[in-house]
Structures are given as structure tokens and as C-alpha cells.
């Protein structure tokens, strides 16, 4: 398996623009997680899905953030409008296990909002 | 109080040293304890996980869990320059509705 795939790897955009991050989980993994990582706050869970259904979105910082999982092999995280404080590395991870164990992370998308 | 506390370091050791990395937690519901390694500009990768208390060994790595003290450790024996990375602890409950990562400890092994 190719592992978790994320695109784009790097994104530079201007404040106010819409940003869409994409993730393809490992085939057969029922759980998908979106994280944001910064030096100040470390790795923060934004939202996770089970069988394409959002289970916990309490980590989504505000209404500008939204996530979807239209099928088992694809998820998006959208930020609209983007702000400079959204600059971070965004990771997608997938897992077979409901306890959040054995998560496999993608390479991340490095987002810079100017 | 944070759910999981981890000393950010940085920690610098000579090659061959034994490294001890630690996390403390406050939630007694946590039953699964994980250690991830993250190289610079890469995603975290799972090193080891343990369920409940006890020790687990995998090559040069040993994970320990002391639930009575709410304290977990990762030991690296005969440390190598390739071990230089950030190590994150993570833990979750049985039900899976509570899981958290530590902020990570940055380790450098000097040849």
C-alpha cells in the first residue's frame, strides 16, 4: 500500500483565499483523522471520521474550517477564508482501530497564508 | 491542566547513550499508550504501543507504563544518530472518544 496520501505538499496563499487540502487514507482503514501541527501548540486533532461519518469535530477552530469525507478513499479539509494564523502543517492519518491506536500519518501539507 | 504533559527538551546525548523520554497524564480512563517518532518535515510514525500497564520491548526500544503514577516512558538503548527526531507520546481510552498527543520531545544524538 502507498500509505496515506496528501496533496498538495505545500500551499502558499493570500489571506482571504479558500484553501482545500486533500487526503487519501490507507485502503480498509475505517478511521480518518485531521491534525494541525505548529511549534507553539504541537499536534492538535481537528476532526475524525468513522466510516465516512464525522464523529468528533470539537477541535475545529472555527466556522472557517470544514471537513468532508464523501467516500472511504477521500477526504478534504477546507479553510475559507484563510488567515495568517492558519499557517501550519496539516496532517491526515488513518487507522483500523477505534481507540485511535496505530494511526498512520501522511506526509503533511505545509500551509503558509500571507 | 493539559491531558498529557511532555517535556519539549531539546535533549542532546552522545551516540551510544541510553535515552529516557517521559510523559505524564491526568486521565485515568487512558488505556492505550503510544510512542511516535517524527523526523524533520515528515509525518509521525508509530514506534510502539502498549495496552494498560507493563513493559514492551522492540529491539533497542522499551516502552513502560505505570498507571498508578500516570507516567509513561520510552527508553532507547545504544542510541544512534539516526534516532535524532522528535518523539511524541499519545494515549487513548478504551472507547476511543478520548485521545491526545503530547507536544513532543526533540532528541539529538551526537556522533
Amino acid at each position: 500500500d502507498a500509505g496515506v496520501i496528501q496533496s498538495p505538499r505545500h500551499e502558499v496563499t493570500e489571506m482571504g483565499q479558500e484553501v482545500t487540502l486533500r487526503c487519501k487514507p490507507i485502503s480498509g482503514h475505517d478511521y480518518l483523522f485531521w491534525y494541525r501541527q505548529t511549534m507553539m501548540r504541537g499536534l492538535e486533532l481537528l476532526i475524525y471520521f468513522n466510516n465516512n461519518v464525522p464523529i468528533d469535530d470539537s477541535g475545529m477552530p472555527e466556522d472557517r474550517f470544514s471537513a468532508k469525507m464523501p467516500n472511504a478513499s477521500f477526504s478534504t479539509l477546507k479553510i475559507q477564508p484563510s488567515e495568517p494564523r492558519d499557517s501550519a502543517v496539516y496532517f491526515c492519518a488513518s487507522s483500523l482501530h477505534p481507540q485511535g491506536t496505530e494511526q498512520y500519518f501522511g506526509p503533511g501539507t505545509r500551509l503558509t497564508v500571507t | 491542566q493539559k491531558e498529557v504533559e511532555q517535556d519539549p527538551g531539546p535533549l542532546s546525548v552522545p551516540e551510544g547513550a541510553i535515552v529516557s523520554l517521559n510523559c505524564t497524564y491526568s486521565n485515568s480512563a487512558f488505556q492505550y499508550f503510544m510512542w511516535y517518532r517524527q523526523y524533520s518535515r515528515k509525518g509521525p510514525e508509530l514506534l510502539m504501543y502498549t495496552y494498560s500497564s507493563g513493559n514492551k520491548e522492540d529491539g533497542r526500544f522499551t516502552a513502560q507504563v505505570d498507571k498508578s503514577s500516570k507516567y509513561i516512558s520510552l527508553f532507547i538503548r545504544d542510541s544512534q544518530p539516526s534516532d535524532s527526531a522528535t518523539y511524541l507520546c499519545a494515549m487513548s481510552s478504551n472507547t476511543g472518544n478520548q485521545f491526545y498527543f503530547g507536544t513532543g520531545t526533540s532528541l539529538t544524538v551526537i556522533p
Side-chain angles (χ1 to χ4, degrees), chain B residues 77-89:
Chain B
R77 290 185 301 280
D78 187 25
S79 56
Q80 302 294 308
S82 58
D83 295 328
S84 298
T86 296
Y87 291 80
L88 301 102
C89 63

Side-chain angles (χ1 to χ4, degrees), chain B residues 70-108:
Chain B
K70 295 189 175 66
Y71 188 88
I72 69 171
S73 301
L74 177 71
F75 296 97
I76 307 174
R77 290 185 301 280
D78 187 25
S79 56
Q80 302 294 308
S82 58
D83 295 328
S84 298
T86 296
Y87 291 80
L88 301 102
C89 63
M91 42 199 81
S92 68
S93 63
N94 264 333
T95 56
N97 61 353
Q98 298 179 74
F99 60 95
Y100 297 89
F101 277 80
T103 51
T105 299
S106 175
L107 171 68
T108 300

Side-chain angles (χ1 to χ4, degrees), chain B residues 22-89:
Chain B
N22 311 293
C23 288
T24 59
Y25 64 96
S26 56
N27 191 337
S28 58
F30 290 147
Q31 295 286 344
Y32 293 86
F33 304 91
M34 285 70 71
W35 286 96
Y36 287 81
R37 178 175 62 196
Q38 185 176 20
Y39 290 116
S40 179
R41 297 186 172 264
K42 301 286 188 182
E45 57 175 329
L46 180 68
L47 270 180
M48 302 175 70
Y49 89 88
T50 55
Y51 175 73
S52 196
S53 285
N55 295 356
K56 186 173 185 178
E57 188 174 319
D58 184 0
R60 296 184 295 109
F61 298 88
T62 300
Q64 284 187 354
V65 175
D66 181 349
K67 292 189 71 181
S68 62
S69 301
K70 295 189 175 66
Y71 188 88
I72 69 171
S73 301
L74 177 71
F75 296 97
I76 307 174
R77 290 185 301 280
D78 187 25
S79 56
Q80 302 294 308
S82 58
D83 295 328
S84 298
T86 296
Y87 291 80
L88 301 102
C89 63

